[in-house]
Amino acid sequence: MPNQKILYITTEMYPYQEDTNLGSVVNKMALKMHGEGNDVRVFMPRFGQISERKFQLHEVIRLSGMNIIINDLDQPLIIKVASLPGERLQVYFIDNEEYFKRKQYYFDDEENAFEDNDERAIFFARGVIETIKKLNWVPDVIHLNGWMASFVPIYLKTYYQSDAYFKDAKIVLSLYNEKNAALDAKISDKLKFDNISGLKALENPSFESFVIESMSYVDAIVKGDEFLDGDLDKAFNESETPKSEYLDLENINKLY
């Protein structure tokens, strides 16, 4: 159905990340929905590997300048924007020197997960939500891709529960086989600071546990990879949330 406002929240997107299924799928979904007459916007982290010069990113001063408080610490939110190369489709980048300047994504050169991955995910989720509100642009559909994006519905249904801004938005979660890693055990304290507690994901916090947790906070789940691994596949099959098996891109609008 055209003339919808569709928000893609993702951790990857081609060409900013190459050779990943997640990045390729998000690129194709966004372009297809944009081409069918929908108002499409994409939000993603501004990881250090993304060249600002190559992709012509520039800061949006009117959207930047907010602070996101995480565990009683103020972190400045910087918003950058670019058009997808060759397309009239805007991509917004959530940036912060502390969290996203480093060249790696979630693991250092020795393949150790960064200790602040939890804070980075919280900052990203809250940064997207606050920026969308500041844009005064109300999405009809929010489509989540990548483990960091799974924090968005958890925050919307808890911390932002009394905020009516997103109340009519349909939330769709795509599932992908991403590399998993544990999150800082103190994440429970950081979420408690935002009055979020009692999550099953906190029993053994990890990238995957929060993706699984978020399945019960969304309106629909769909396989982003055709075949899911292990616990993710089990959670998908056991979930009571309306779901769809892997959809080819020609049929993706059936989700909306």
Side-chain angles (χ1 to χ4, degrees), residues 102-166:
R102 65 199 75 162
K103 294 296 184 184
Q104 307 92 334
Y105 295 119
Y106 314 118
F107 302 89
D108 64 22
D109 292 336
E110 283 73 48
E111 289 299 304
N112 299 308
F114 292 125
E115 291 183 0
D116 63 351
N117 277 331
D118 59 334
E119 293 184 16
R120 298 168 84 206
I122 292 169
F123 182 87
F124 176 61
R126 290 199 53 203
V128 171
I129 294 167
E130 293 294 345
T131 304
I132 290 293
K133 290 171 64 179
K134 203 166 184 180
L135 276 171
N136 198 27
W137 182 81
V138 183
D140 299 304
V141 179
I142 302 173
H143 195 143
L144 310 164
N145 303 265
W147 75 270
M148 274 189 178
S150 69
F151 279 66
V152 171
I154 293 171
Y155 263 85
L156 286 179
K157 298 300 172 69
T158 54
Y159 183 79
Y160 292 93
Q161 187 175 21
S162 61
D163 189 333
Y165 192 89
F166 296 93

Side-chain angles (χ1 to χ4, degrees), residues 191-207:
L191 291 174
K192 236 178 238 179
F193 186 81
D194 289 337
N195 296 315
I196 299 173
S197 60
L199 303 180
K200 195 170 187 301
L202 294 173
E203 295 172 8
N204 187 20
S206 69
F207 299 178

Side-chain angles (χ1 to χ4, degrees), residues 3-9 13 26-43 84 88-92 137 141 256:
N3 300 318
Q4 292 195 94
K5 294 179 181 176
I6 304 175
L7 169 63
Y8 289 97
I9 304 176
M13 185 182 189
V26 174
N27 173 284
K28 290 173 183 174
M29 283 194 299
L31 285 176
K32 178 176 170 57
M33 292 298 101
H34 174 68
E36 291 186 0
N38 298 288
D39 183 0
V40 175
R41 303 193 188 187
V42 181
F43 274 73
L84 198 65
R88 295 172 63 87
L89 198 162
Q90 284 195 311
V91 181
Y92 292 82
W137 182 81
V141 179
Y256 308 150

